[in-house]
Structure formats: structure tokens, C-alpha cells
Amino acid sequence: MELAGKIAVVTGSSSGIGLSLVRALLDAGAVVYGLSRSATPVDQPRFRWLKADVTIEQEIGQAFDIVLGQHGGRVDLLVNNAGFGFFRDIEMIETADWRRLIDTNLTAAFLCTKQVVPSMKAKHHGMIVNVGSVAGKRGIKGGTAYCASKFAINGFSESLMEELREFGIRVACINPGSVMTGFFDRAGIQPKKYLQPDDLARLIVALVELPDGMLPDELTVRPL
Ligand SMILES: NC(=O)c1ccc[n+]([C@@H]2O[C@H](COP(=O)([O-])OP(=O)(O)OC[C@H]3O[C@@H](n4cnc5c(N)ncnc54)[C@H](OP(=O)(O)O)[C@@H]3O)[C@@H](O)[C@H]2O)c1
């Protein structure tokens, strides 16, 4: 997809991978909307931050009403990126924390995707990128909640890919290893090696910019 002039929505735009991706998409010429609870520090005429908690369906609906309303019902690219993790023994996980993680990392992707699929189907065009994790490919000690959400997003992606390819819509899941963001301040673990969020953003843009006839459905990328 040639990104110049295309309409892109990135969830979790206020920091880390999402913020780098907003900047990379703007550099590629897209019109970009970012959804997050705290402000997204980007001041660019082709960017608009929409305050939304992606665990709240009504707030997602209000944000997409604005995007779809401003562009004649058109979204070309959705990146389901908002997410967080924690790593602790199962008996230390409160049910409310489990539910919040699944709501943020998994259910939000379902809700945001539902917002864009009808218009993408009508136009026989579009791409949905889900941010998974290597934690969605293998289990990690303490990661019952996080790994469950990221394994699930891989299954969600693969099923969605099979469902939407006949409508000209590409679905990809990118599974990064550790990325240097604030994620680990909250997660309670510290890896030894990291990818840089700007590099990951460049990779996602490169996937999106592949010819429309190519369907890169899954990519795992680790720090060397
Ligand atoms: N860092 C890594 O090593 C790594 C590796 C693999 C995959 N990932 C995945 O990459 C994605 C981005 O993580 P990151 O590393 O960039 O971490 P980050 O810097 O903490 O960014 C997380 C983003 O998600 C947003 N977010 C969290 N809960 C939200 C909610 N309820 N509503 C709206 N936005 C919400 C945050 O915005 P607000 O707080 O402003 O709402 C923030 O913009 C996540 O899905 C994560 O699981 C990260």
C-alpha cells in the first residue's frame, strides 16, 4: 500500500512502539489518528490524537465515529498496538488485573477491527496490523496473562486473515521480541537485549508498503 494520503489509525499512540509508528507513518505521508488515554506528543497537521480508553467500547465507538466521519467512512490502515504486560505468579494475579489485560491486549483489537472492516470490505482494500509478541509464540514464566493475550492475538490475526483476504484486506501479526519502551517499567522484568521502537516502526511501515498483492501474515522479529 502506498501510504501517502492514506488514513491510518494507531491504538496506543502516546508512547513506545505506537508513538514511533505514528511518526513513521507521518513521514510516509499518511493522515494518522492516534488513540490513547494520555496525550500523544505529536504536533503535525496530518496527525490527530483522539483520547480513548480502548477497554471502553463506547470510547472506541466515539473515536472511530470521528475518523470515519471525517473521511467518508474510510480507514486504510488499522494498527492494533495498545497493550501492556505484567509477569507474576498466578496466585498473585487479581481477577481485575487479568480482565484489564485481556480487555486491553485482545478485546480492544476485536472492537477496533469491527469498526473498520465494513468500510474496508466495501472498498475491497485495507490492512490491519496486530502487534503480538514473541510471548505469543512461546510461554514465559510469570506470563500466564500476557502470553494468553498474545497467543490469542495471533489466533485472532490468522483467523481474520483467512476471513478477509477474499475481500482484498490484508491482516498481519507482528511478533517482536523485547523493545526499548516504557513497557518494562510496568511489566516487572528487564530483558538483556532490545529492539529500538523506531526500527520496529520502520519494519511495520515496510510491511504495509509491500505491493497490495502480497500478504505478509506473520512476522517474528528479535534483537540480534
Ligand atoms: N516493549 C516490548 O518489548 C514489546 C514486545 C512485544 C510486544 N509489545 C507490544 O507492543 C505494544 C506497545 O507496547 P510498548 O512497548 O510500546 O509499550 P508502552 O510504551 O507502554 O506503550 C503502550 C501504549 O498502549 C497504550 N494503552 C495501554 N492501555 C491502554 C488503554 N486502556 N487505552 C488506550 N491505550 C492504552 C498506552 O497509552 P496510554 O497509557 O496513554 O493509554 C501506550 O500508548 C503492546 O501491545 C505490547 O504488548 C511490546
Side-chain angles (χ1 to χ4, degrees), residues 11-18 35-39 52-55 80-85 100 104-105 131-134 146 150 175-184 186 194:
T11 70
S13 54
S14 60
S15 63
I17 297 165
L35 274 61
S36 49
R37 294 165 300 181
S38 52
D53 182 334
V54 297
T55 66
N80 288 310
N81 164 73
F84 73 100
R100 177 149 198 86
T104 308
N105 293 7
V131 178
S133 170
V134 295
Y146 187 65
K150 293 300 186 181
N175 289 307
S178 303
V179 188
M180 180 73 83
T181 70
F183 176 91
F184 292 104
R186 294 174 272 281
Y194 293 94

Side-chain angles (χ1 to χ4, degrees), residues 69-126:
Q70 285 184 345
H71 299 283
R74 174 178 152 217
V75 171
D76 301 292
L77 172 67
L78 167 66
V79 182
N80 288 310
N81 164 73
F84 73 100
F86 56 73
F87 295 85
R88 50 183 102 119
D89 293 348
I90 192 158
E91 66 271 31
M92 303 304 289
I93 301 175
E94 300 293 340
T95 308
D97 291 340
W98 171 281
R99 289 192 197 283
R100 177 149 198 86
L101 189 144
I102 298 296
D103 282 353
T104 308
N105 293 7
L106 179 62
T107 310
F110 157 72
L111 293 172
C112 292
T113 299
K114 271 184 75 177
Q115 291 283 339
V116 301
V117 162
S119 62
M120 287 183 176
K121 271 188 176 175
K123 295 186 168 54
H124 212 79
H125 162 86

